[in-house]
Amino acid sequence: MAEVNSFLTVNIEDKQFENTTIFSNLRLSMREDEIISIFGPSGCGKTTLLRMIAGLEETIENEIILADVYQHQVGFIFQKPVLYPHLNVAKNILLGSTAKLTKQEQLATVDESLQMVGLPGFGKRKVTTLSGGEAQRVVLARALLARPKLLLLDEPFSSLDLDSRRQLATEVKAILREQNVAAIHVSHDIEEAKIISDRILNWGNICDPSNASNNNEQD
């Protein structure tokens, strides 16, 4: 059952992929103002959990409970920036809008979004000219324009160099706080996880699925 005042509750007894147990007896709950990081090695189910929460992976009743949140209010940012190369930065960002905007409103929305992610004046740029960090900022701007209540971040900084990862993690945390968006972030980088999150779940060794539980939470 969902905890009282819990924004998200996960109750997974057993999750298998190709006859291999990814995790079992997984219990997770979070508040609507939290940013949680899941830290662990490849193959321990981090991405699978995000996909289950986003509705991209099959679940059974009461495995994933999002209080007052529908699937279209969950944003997902993948490891590699997903941008449309035939559209410029502005048009890529506007794909996140659910409202019908006038031309003037579109310009104002793009300007505001680019200011938020630290890319003022980038609207007319081709996405093929962007660096990895710039591309992920554009993806973040587009995701937030859809006004999600929960943002899922699947190793979004892993392709960047160390300094860029740390800097972008700091910036993204500040933006999420400003926009009042809860987030679940997964990473192989413990320092990145410490920067961006309020709480870290250390899933430990893939060979021990029971590690994927709240008993391994760290401050």
Side-chain angles (χ1 to χ4, degrees):
M1 297 293 293
E3 294 182 10
V4 177
N5 298 324
S6 177
F7 173 70
L8 167 69
T9 301
V10 176
N11 293 301
I12 303 175
E13 297 298 336
D14 184 69
K15 181 64 177 178
Q16 294 189 341
F17 182 73
E18 294 182 350
N19 298 320
T20 298
T21 298
I22 301 176
F23 38 68
S24 60
N25 194 31
L26 176 60
R27 303 288 182 263
L28 168 64
S29 63
M30 69 182 294
R31 303 187 310 271
E32 61 181 350
D33 60 347
E34 270 194 303
I35 302 173
I36 293 176
S37 282
I38 300 174
F39 169 74
S42 296
C44 67
K46 303 187 302 297
T47 296
T48 298
L49 176 60
L50 294 192
R51 289 177 60 83
M52 292 176 73
I53 294 171
L56 301 175
E57 191 84 18
E58 184 178 359
T59 62
I60 61 176
E61 187 177 2
N62 291 331
E63 278 190 328
I64 308 292
I65 303 172
L66 280 163
D68 301 319
V69 179
Y70 300 99
Q71 294 300 343
H72 67 270
Q73 290 177 285
V74 177
F76 204 131
I77 295 182
F78 298 91
Q79 184 173 353
K80 293 183 179 179
V82 179
L83 295 170
Y84 294 91
H86 64 289
L87 300 177
N88 63 20
V89 166
K91 290 180 178 178
N92 267 279
I93 289 175
L94 287 170
L95 291 174
S97 176
T98 57
K100 221 174 183 181
L101 305 175
T102 65
K103 191 72 173 176
Q104 186 174 1
E105 288 171 335
Q106 288 179 7
L107 292 172
T109 297
V110 169
D111 285 346
E112 182 180 349
S113 294
L114 289 173
Q115 287 285 350
M116 177 182 64
V117 297
L119 297 176
F122 272 61
K124 295 182 178 179
R125 290 274 295 271
K126 294 181 178 180
V127 297
T128 53
T129 68
L130 302 177
S131 68
E134 290 168 348
Q136 282 294 41
R137 286 182 172 89
V138 172
V139 171
L140 177 64
R142 182 179 63 197
L144 292 176
L145 188 55
R147 305 202 178 283
K149 293 186 179 294
L150 174 64
L151 189 61
L152 307 175
L153 303 159
D154 189 8
E155 301 187 58
F157 318 130
S158 61
S159 62
L160 307 179
D161 63 75
L162 187 63
D163 290 340
S164 296
R165 284 207 305 271
R166 303 288 193 269
Q167 179 182 351
L168 198 50
T170 301
E171 293 175 4
V172 169
K173 182 175 185 176
I175 292 169
L176 293 174
R177 284 279 188 262
E178 181 183 351
Q179 299 294 312
N180 295 315
V181 177
I184 300 178
H185 158 266
V186 304
S187 179
H188 296 291
D189 184 342
I190 189 65
E191 293 304 319
E192 176 188 308
K194 289 177 181 178
I195 289 170
I196 199 171
S197 63
D198 304 309
R199 184 160 53 110
I200 299 173
L201 310 185
N202 188 344
W203 281 21
N205 195 315
I206 183 177
C207 296
D208 183 4
S210 64
N211 281 344
S213 71
N214 278 343
N215 292 331
N216 289 286
E217 293 177 14
Q218 299 179 353
D219 294 329

